[in-house]
Amino acid sequence: MVYKKRKIKVFRPRKKKESIDVVISKLKQDYEKIDPSSIEKFDDFPLSAPTIKGLKENKYLIPTEIQRESIGYSLRGEDILGAAKTGSGKTLAFLIPVLELLYCNKWTRSEGLAALIITPTRELAYQIFETLRKIGIHHEFSAGLIIGGKDLKFERKRLDQCNIMICTPGRLLQHMDENPLFDCSNMLVLVLDEADRCLDMGFESTMNSIIENLPPERQTILFSATQTKSVRDLARLSLSNPHFISVHETSEYSTPAGLVQSYMVCELHDKMSLLWSFIKNHLHHKVLVFMSSCKQVKYFYEVLCKLRPGTSLLALYGTMHQTKRMAVYESFCRKQRAVLFATDIAARGLDFPAVNWVVQLDCPENANEYIHRAGRTARFQKSGESLLVILPSETPILEQLESKKIPIQEIKVNPSKLTSVQRTLEATLAKDHILKESAQRAFVAYIKSVFLMKDKKVFNVSALDTDAFARSLGLAVPPRVRFLQKWKKSKEAKIIAKESEDLTLNNDLRNKLNKTSDYENSEDEPESDHSYRKDSYKFHDDGISDEENDDLLTIKRKDHNIPDNNDDIQENSNNEEQIYGDFNKKNKKPLTKAALAKKMIKKKIKPNQKTVFDEIGEVVLDKTKTKVSDLAREYENSYDIGGIDIEKAKQILREEDKFDKQLFREKVKAKHREQKRKAKEAKRAEMEDASSDDDVSVDLSWLPDPDKVYGKNNNSELDNDSQPESNSNYEDEDDDDEDEKDEELSQIHKPTKRKLLISNSNKKRKKLNEIEDEPVDTGLSLVEDEELALQMLDT
Ligand code: ADP
Ligand code: MG
């Protein structure tokens, strides 16, 4: 018997799927119960399923300290001021609440902007965007990266579909100003990553304008390793009662535990050799080198590439093209060993994996910037090393580092281990003119950066040995630093002005004390000027404290004399969005071509104009290029920006037309004249050939001039006929007469003329002979003829 297996179907009651509203209300209820100390895993937070899934898939299981401490408050909708060391996971601390906020508000794509995340640099915005994409993969929201250097039109069209926008301040403001699709009226949350940087002077006006446009009813979250506590900043953001979360405030040091920090005092002219030696000794490491300006980064990169150090070199700076910037950023992320030269655009927030060394070749602006730069290594439980290079005059920065709880040890430069590259650089620059110019620009940019630093106790431009520095860069002749010369001059002028001020003060004082009459004093004044001056020096030295004296010589950042349009100033800035805000160029608009044209019209500048002067200094007008009519010239002189007078322009055109026609006629005439001349020349040449055929074998050109030998009147017969012609031949030779004949004759070579004359005179002589030989018929009889002859003889 065959038994068939029977399948028995078991019916289980189906799990009822909770409606989203129930899930959301449960989550919201749980928010109130969050206790950071009891949180061990992300699962312990009341988070939505898509977020948990996204975190797990990216191996984010255990929250870091700042995440554990802050996420609960953020979920509850409180304003947050979060501070934690570099590399401690602040990004997730704000991204998770952002996703949850949208989820709990059942935000749909069509509802527009809900969260705005602002960061100071493009690379950082990109990095945050990538992290958001990873952890938010199971959510339905749309996110947009709005940064400078990208396709503005493309962004413009899609802006209204963006639920989470990650942006840099300048580009955001541009959209706010220009894009009708930009609408932030429903926005729920504003996040500032690297908040202190976003709110500092560099972005001040841009951020103020952005904040003005945002709805006041919103949550605000600020994060940074060096958080702002400035009441002014908080007031700007309308943060009345924010929750301050600083997880490492009580820790011994403000920098990551795995970071080994050292500093080195080094002369400016030794920096290049130091860097070269460092690279050669760390060929298997991933190194990030900070410099103070774009031009330095560019030059160091270019020149050291030529020296082939044996590791890949990269450069990242603000004036680079956006695509290249991104390529460099990604390349350095991927590489296991490389050296990246960068400005401070790489100082904030960037999470390059596994950086072994951070070298600060130029001194950072302040202790906070030091923390951010050094924080590019030893991130998230890893270790790393940092080297700060300072000049002997920059040692006061060490006090600031100490007061910020930064453990840093001095290491000495071993001069024997320094490999000088100066000679090689000199040779390289001698061959490469472009590189030499780059070196010159780097030189000036560095000095400018020192000059513009706010902290004059640390940065002293007068202490720089600029000549030695220039030589160390490979420059045989140090470039002129105009702004420095100007500054020194104005400094001297200030001192003199101060002296004379003191002098007047002193005089007043004397006048009051002196019992002698005013009249006598005033009389004495000019003579006693010298002695007063002496006194005033004394007064200056004794009476003004050191502090005041310092103040007198201090150039404050906003007051500096360097022209605003100078690109060196721009490149010195750490900020990404130069166009929209910079402490050096506050309220400065970009100089567009149209603006430039307007400026030129206003100042009546004619581009590429060449003025020719004659010997007596009169302007020579080129009729073909300038307007010659009186009317046109009058109009040009009375030219103003108020537009074009069409009627007058027509009139001028008619006037100018007359001159043009005249010019044309003259040209045609000249052309005809030239043609005629050529034709005549050809004819003469023919004749010459013909005449030379007569005396083929005899070239008489070598004979001496018979006129000179015998005098002009010797051959009267010949002279009478040929004189006018011969005269014209010789006298007109240097004559400038425009007569065609003369012109033509003056072209002929002397011996040929002689030959021609001889041949002509031969012909004439022939003619005369012929006449002489012929009998003359008088019409009279022979007797009458004889009588006539006798009469003539008598007379
Ligand atoms: P911060 O903004 O504080 O400087 P980041 O947010 O850039 O730090 O994070 C630094 C690194 O730590 C990143 O590589 C990030 O992926 C990693 N990280 C952050 N949070 C966690 C976590 N909970 N678990 C594992 N890795 C994390
Ligand atoms: Mg960060």
Side-chain angles (χ1 to χ4, degrees), residues 582-757:
D582 190 313
F583 42 73
N584 295 315
K585 325 183 289 166
K586 220 177 138 194
N587 300 331
K588 181 111 182 112
K589 280 185 189 168
L591 190 64
T592 59
K593 280 185 183 171
L596 195 69
K598 269 188 191 170
K599 216 173 182 180
M600 286 171 82
I601 290 173
K602 203 172 175 184
K603 293 196 169 178
K604 294 183 184 172
I605 297 169
K606 287 176 192 164
N608 305 325
Q609 197 192 12
K610 182 179 159 189
T611 311
V612 182
F613 296 92
D614 62 10
E615 288 128 23
I616 47 164
E618 294 283 321
V619 177
V620 180
L621 283 180
D622 183 351
K623 288 182 187 175
T624 53
K625 288 177 188 159
T626 44
K627 292 198 175 86
V628 275
S629 66
D630 289 342
L631 192 70
R633 296 174 72 75
E634 188 190 313
Y635 182 69
E636 267 184 4
N637 289 338
S638 67
Y639 185 75
D640 70 350
I641 343 160
I644 300 166
D645 182 346
I646 299 286
E647 278 313 310
K648 200 152 195 179
K650 276 184 191 169
Q651 221 175 323
I652 290 167
L653 276 180
R654 278 196 290 274
E655 284 290 310
E656 287 296 312
D657 214 28
K658 283 181 203 164
F659 285 96
D660 288 350
K661 276 179 185 163
Q662 168 99 14
L663 213 68
F664 181 72
R665 273 200 295 274
E666 274 167 22
K667 270 190 181 174
V668 171
K669 263 189 186 174
K671 204 176 168 187
H672 285 169
R673 217 178 291 149
E674 179 66 13
Q675 276 172 352
K676 267 187 191 173
R677 188 188 66 77
K678 278 185 185 164
K680 276 194 181 170
E681 214 169 81
K683 213 173 175 185
R684 180 165 298 127
E686 246 175 55
M687 273 169 67
E688 213 175 290
D689 284 348
S691 63
S692 63
D693 281 352
D694 294 346
D695 35 28
V696 191
S697 53
V698 210
D699 178 8
L700 299 174
S701 61
W702 53 273
L703 280 173
D705 189 340
D707 286 351
K708 281 180 191 168
V709 178
Y710 303 109
K712 275 195 175 179
N713 295 326
N714 280 359
N715 192 349
S716 57
E717 186 193 13
L718 193 70
D719 276 349
N720 285 343
D721 279 343
S722 64
Q723 206 166 7
E725 216 176 304
S726 80
N727 275 349
S728 71
N729 274 348
Y730 292 97
E731 282 167 22
D732 292 342
E733 223 168 33
D734 296 320
D735 205 330
D736 277 346
D737 199 320
E738 280 185 14
D739 183 73
E740 274 177 38
K741 195 176 167 188
D742 295 347
E743 219 176 82
E744 182 187 314
L745 289 170
S746 66
Q747 304 269 334
I748 300 162
H749 195 253
K750 264 185 185 176
T752 333
K753 282 175 201 167
R754 285 310 299 163
K755 222 157 79 180
L756 187 74
L757 279 174

Side-chain angles (χ1 to χ4, degrees), residues 42 60 62-64 67 85-92 351 379-380:
F42 278 116
Y60 295 124
I62 300 163
T64 63
Q67 292 159 3
K85 290 180 187 182
T86 52
S88 59
K90 294 183 286 289
T91 317
L92 287 188
D351 188 46
R379 295 178 69 73
F380 190 66

Side-chain angles (χ1 to χ4, degrees), residues 249-262:
E249 197 149 45
T250 50
S251 68
E252 197 182 352
Y253 302 118
S254 58
T255 44
L259 182 63
V260 179
Q261 301 168 73
S262 42

